């Protein structure tokens, strides 16, 4: 079974979906790493018997040294791929290049809308609400050297009703995130994703 690592900074509901739907089925979550000591994602990993590692950014002099430590942990646990499940730090080229087209990220909008620098968490949904768009959704994509800019693997849309608050939009999108993250991870683990000219194609 392929081994995947999960990086998370927050409550870990996306991680929990992977634990429930993917772990020890389509693949193995070999380690969960967080930059936040109190990230509930670490607790979820422990409850599932998965190694949970907090790496404090304060202990390292640079993002490169920090990512070098992440890389060391990924190698220690033999991770063949990495999933960013609500991970708020930007990866350095050191880490991205070590796992080219093997790092997937879940973003809470339909990329290329409402993404890029500064668009994360509620900021995305507040911008969606302010703009008055009629559909939003979530995207799973491979991580490249840009922000939210790598090949798109799976997307799913949700309707935005006039009465929806930003929080209600977030909840609708979070439900979709869980579904498409599990779907994209399964496709990856089954080697069904092909990258041609920086576009991801799903093999039938
Ligand atoms: C999600 O909204 C995800 O789109 C964003 O961060 C949040 C993570 O939520 N990247 P959780 O920690 O998986 O519950």
């Amino acid at each position: 079974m392929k081994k995947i690592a999960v990086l998370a900074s927050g409550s870990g509901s996306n991680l929990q979906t992977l634990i429930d739907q993917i772990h020890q089925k389509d693949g193995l979550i070999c380690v969960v790493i967080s930059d936040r000591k109190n990230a509930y994602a670490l607790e979820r990993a422990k409850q599932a018997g998965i190694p949970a590692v907090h790496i404090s950014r304060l202990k390292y002099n640079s993002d490169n040294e920090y990512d070098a430590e992440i890389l060391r942990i990924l190698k220690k646990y033999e991770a063949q791929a990495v999933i960013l499940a609500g991970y708020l730090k930007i990866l350095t080229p050191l880490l991205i290049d070590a796992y080219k087209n093997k790092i997937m990220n879940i973003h809470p909008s339909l990329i290329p809308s409402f993404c890029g620098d500064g668009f994360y968490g509620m900021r995305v949904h507040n911008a969606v609400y302010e703009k008055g768009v009629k559909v939003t959704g979530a995207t799973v994509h491979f991580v490249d050297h840009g922000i939210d800019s790598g090949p798109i693997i799976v997307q799913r849309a949700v309707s935005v009703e006039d009465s929806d608050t930003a929080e209600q939009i977030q909840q609708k999108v979070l439900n979709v995130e869980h579904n498409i993250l599990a779907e994209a991870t399964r496709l990856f683990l089954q080697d069904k994703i092909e990258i041609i000219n920086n576009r991801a194609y799903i093999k039938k």
Side-chain angles (χ1 to χ4, degrees), residues 10-15 85-87 106-108 121 125 170 174 177-178:
S11 65
S13 69
N14 278 289
L15 166 67
Y87 184 66
I106 175 80
H107 182 76
H125 308 298
Q170 180 200 29
L174 195 55
E177 289 178 40
H178 297 160

Side-chain angles (χ1 to χ4, degrees), residues 115-168:
C115 68
D117 198 17
F119 279 105
Y120 56 87
M122 272 315 291
R123 289 179 176 211
V124 172
H125 308 298
N126 288 334
V128 162
Y129 175 83
E130 293 301 330
K131 191 63 186 170
V133 294
K134 305 312 173 191
V135 287
T136 186
T139 303
V140 181
H141 64 94
F142 284 116
V143 172
D144 63 7
H145 289 206
I147 300 177
D148 301 329
S149 57
I152 290 171
I153 306 165
V154 181
Q155 291 190 302
R156 191 153 301 149
V158 297
S159 64
V160 179
E161 308 303 331
D162 292 352
S163 56
D164 283 343
T165 64
E167 287 70 22
Q168 287 168 323

Side-chain angles (χ1 to χ4, degrees), residues 1-4 22-29 78 80 189:
M1 257 190 204
K2 277 203 179 98
K3 292 181 180 176
I4 53 175
I22 301 294
H23 184 49
Q24 296 177 334
K25 297 180 180 71
D26 305 81
L28 210 58
I29 301 174
E78 300 174 330
Q80 294 158 275
L189 291 167

Side-chain angles (χ1 to χ4, degrees), residues 4 6 8 10-29 32 40-41 44-45 47-48 50 83-86 106 140 156 171-186 189:
I4 53 175
V6 179
S11 65
S13 69
N14 278 289
L15 166 67
Q16 191 62 54
T17 302
L18 297 176
I19 292 171
D20 297 342
Q21 297 188 23
I22 301 294
H23 184 49
Q24 296 177 334
K25 297 180 180 71
D26 305 81
L28 210 58
I29 301 174
V32 172
Y40 192 65
R44 294 179 193 266
Q47 286 172 13
I50 296 168
I83 294 175
L84 308 183
I106 175 80
V140 181
R156 191 153 301 149
Q171 195 48 58
K172 280 182 177 179
V173 171
L174 195 55
N175 292 333
V176 163
E177 289 178 40
H178 297 160
N179 296 334
I180 65 170
L181 186 58
E183 180 182 338
T185 304
R186 197 169 292 119
L189 291 167

